Amino acid sequence: ICGKIVLVMEIGCIIQARMGSTRLPGKVLEELEAGKSCLEYVIQQLEDVFDIKNMVIATTFLEEDDVIEKFCVERGINVFRGQPKNVLDRYYNCAKEFSIQNIVRITSDCPLIDPKIVLELIKKMKTGEFDYVSNALNRTFPIGLDAEIFTFHALEQSWKVAQLQSEKEHVTPFIKKNPKSFKQYNLESDKNKSNIRVTLDVPEDLMLIRNIVSKISNRPILYKDLMELFEREPEILAINKNIKHDGYERSLRED
């Protein structure tokens, strides 16, 4: 662990990252523009929301992920190494190690995560009324702008009780399946744009995201910037329109 935080984080961001993607190995360190990787983009998009000391990259203890630890150490970013398949366990032990009370979960294949969306979710979480807030319970934002926040208590209960592999691999299904036990809130967009995909899973996604970052000069890139670009140049969405988003469904079949 690099630079362990001693003080309790009221809200901390855990970004899960690994090199072992089946469809696009090493995707999190693929360059989206000259000298800037996907993982660097995630961090850059969030740096107006979180101080660097409130972010942790949660990777695995596999040798192939030594390069992610090296990436973090070189940049002074907190890093935690845990279970490769049981991401729920990885999150639980990471949050426990860094004393995070409310965990913002971001995946490293979402380099265009909108900090304004994350801030909206944090604002809702700070009311103290919810155990879990997200913009993907009922998806209306594009795939790739997903964020969720949950309490350490909700995470710990899931860690203790969850049995299915899908619940362990995807961290929050147990929480989402139990709304009577965990108070939940879903942030929705004015228009349903859930058919758009700006996450990084396959080469076509990489091609689209590189295209996007080359055409938008604003940093961070916001949801509204994406929508303005797609309105001007709808043809670029054809690049990955036939890719199916099926990670969770695949886990359910394996259950």
Side-chain angles (χ1 to χ4, degrees), residues 18 32 42 80:
R18 66 188 179 100
L32 302 187
V42 175
F80 179 88

Side-chain angles (χ1 to χ4, degrees), residues 10 102 122-131 133 151 183:
E10 182 192 353
N102 294 287
I122 289 173
K123 182 178 175 184
K124 188 60 68 171
M125 194 68 174
K126 281 188 169 181
T127 65
E129 297 174 26
F130 302 101
D131 302 297
V133 300
T151 63
K183 294 179 184 176

Side-chain angles (χ1 to χ4, degrees), residues 236-254:
I236 70 172
L237 290 173
I239 294 172
N240 70 348
K241 70 175 183 179
N242 294 321
I243 305 302
K244 187 171 174 14
H245 189 70
D246 66 349
Y248 182 56
E249 287 76 10
R250 190 165 61 247
S251 292
L252 289 175
R253 290 194 295 272
E254 290 171 3

Side-chain angles (χ1 to χ4, degrees), residues 14-229:
I14 300 178
I15 303 166
Q16 66 189 69
R18 66 188 179 100
M19 294 297 287
S21 166
T22 53
R23 296 199 283 182
L24 187 60
K27 65 183 182 181
V28 300
L29 295 184
E30 284 280 0
E31 287 193 350
L32 302 187
E33 62 182 15
K36 190 164 290 184
S37 68
C38 179
L39 186 52
E40 285 172 295
Y41 250 88
V42 175
I43 294 164
Q44 174 184 277
Q45 289 285 107
L46 295 170
E47 62 188 7
D48 287 342
V49 182
F50 300 100
D51 188 284
I52 200 75
K53 71 178 185 293
N54 295 107
M55 291 189 206
V56 187
I57 307 297
T59 192
T60 85
F61 52 60
L62 297 176
E63 186 178 350
E64 66 190 28
D65 290 320
D66 289 353
V67 65
I68 292 180
E69 180 171 23
K70 182 173 182 285
F71 168 97
C72 295
V73 170
E74 288 174 351
R75 291 160 180 79
I77 301 168
N78 298 306
V79 61
F80 179 88
R81 301 188 72 166
Q83 293 288 336
K85 297 277 190 179
N86 189 341
V87 193
L88 173 60
D89 182 81
R90 198 192 315 168
Y91 263 79
Y92 171 71
N93 281 294
C94 179
K96 189 175 180 182
E97 183 72 39
F98 285 86
S99 302
I100 307 175
Q101 294 179 327
N102 294 287
I103 299 98
V104 178
R105 178 179 177 237
I106 304 290
T107 58
S108 57
D109 54 8
C110 293
L112 301 178
I113 183 69
D114 184 334
K116 288 194 171 184
I117 292 173
V118 177
L119 282 169
E120 278 297 309
L121 294 174
I122 289 173
K123 182 178 175 184
K124 188 60 68 171
M125 194 68 174
K126 281 188 169 181
T127 65
E129 297 174 26
F130 302 101
D131 302 297
Y132 173 92
V133 300
S134 174
N135 65 338
L137 269 173
N138 174 34
R139 189 189 298 279
T140 54
F141 290 92
I143 297 167
L145 299 189
D146 310 5
E148 47 189 359
I149 312 177
F150 38 89
T151 63
F152 181 79
H153 173 74
L155 176 62
E156 186 169 52
Q157 290 303 112
S158 301
W159 179 78
K160 287 178 178 177
V161 180
Q163 296 293 323
L164 297 174
Q165 180 56 34
S166 60
E167 296 169 344
K168 296 176 180 179
E169 184 181 351
H170 295 277
V171 184
T172 56
F174 183 83
I175 296 174
K176 291 185 279 192
K177 289 190 288 188
N178 290 279
K180 290 183 179 178
S181 299
F182 306 106
K183 294 179 184 176
Q184 304 178 13
Y185 172 83
N186 187 66
L187 177 68
E188 297 192 6
S189 174
D190 293 338
K191 295 180 180 178
N192 190 338
K193 298 295 182 180
S194 59
N195 61 311
I196 295 173
R197 172 187 176 85
V198 290
T199 190
L200 179 58
D201 274 333
V202 295
E204 292 90 337
D205 296 331
L206 182 59
M207 195 183 306
L208 174 64
I209 294 170
R210 283 174 172 168
N211 208 313
I212 289 169
V213 302
S214 73
K215 291 174 181 289
I216 298 175
S217 58
N218 296 345
R219 296 293 182 272
I221 295 171
L222 303 177
Y223 176 43
K224 70 176 183 63
D225 299 323
L226 294 176
M227 292 304 102
E228 287 168 5
L229 172 61

